[in-house]
């Protein structure tokens, strides 16, 4: 059975070889899921399962508190950000 580091190396290799776009680059413990809407805009869900704040490269309007975020977004320890991202061309 592989440890977490071994699993991560395999996942990283598959992602690179298959050119799978990453949602965000962040340390383990930050969950990130992007949903793309029909108009091309996205909603990025960031859930921090860590005991410390995490900073990621992501921008948009936080749908939970209305604040503008970016170009970097801080996800507080144990916190959540839900970002409405502008449509891409």
């Amino acid at each position: 059975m592989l440890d977490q580091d071994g699993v991560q190396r395999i996942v990283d290799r598959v992602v690179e070889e298959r050119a799978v776009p990453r949602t965000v680059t962040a340390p383990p413990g930050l969950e990130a899921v992007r949903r793309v809407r029909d108009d091309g805009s996205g909603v990025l869900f960031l859930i921090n399962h860590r005991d410390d704040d995490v900073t990621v490269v992501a921008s948009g309007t936080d749908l939970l508190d209305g604040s503008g975020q970016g170009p970097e977004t801080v996800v507080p320890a144990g916190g959540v950000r839900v970002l409405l991202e502008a449509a891409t061309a």
Side-chain angles (χ1 to χ4, degrees):
M1 180 159 214
L2 293 173
D3 63 7
Q4 181 63 34
D5 187 52
V7 171
Q8 190 63 52
R9 286 197 313 265
I10 290 171
V11 169
D12 289 343
R13 182 173 176 180
V14 170
V15 165
E16 182 180 333
E17 287 179 0
R18 298 293 179 193
V20 176
R22 290 190 181 267
T23 302
V24 296
T25 300
L30 181 78
E31 186 176 344
V33 176
R34 178 177 283 120
R35 299 289 184 236
V36 178
R37 298 167 27 160
D38 290 339
D39 66 2
S41 64
V43 178
L44 178 62
F45 299 85
L46 300 167
I47 305 169
N48 185 355
H49 300 281
R50 299 168 56 101
D51 293 329
D52 57 330
D53 295 353
V54 175
T55 302
V56 296
V57 176
S59 59
T61 302
D62 190 324
L63 295 176
L64 299 177
D65 66 12
S67 65
Q69 300 292 320
E72 292 185 333
T73 297
V74 176
V75 186
V80 175
R81 292 247 187 239
V82 181
L83 301 181
L84 176 61
E85 302 173 309
T88 57

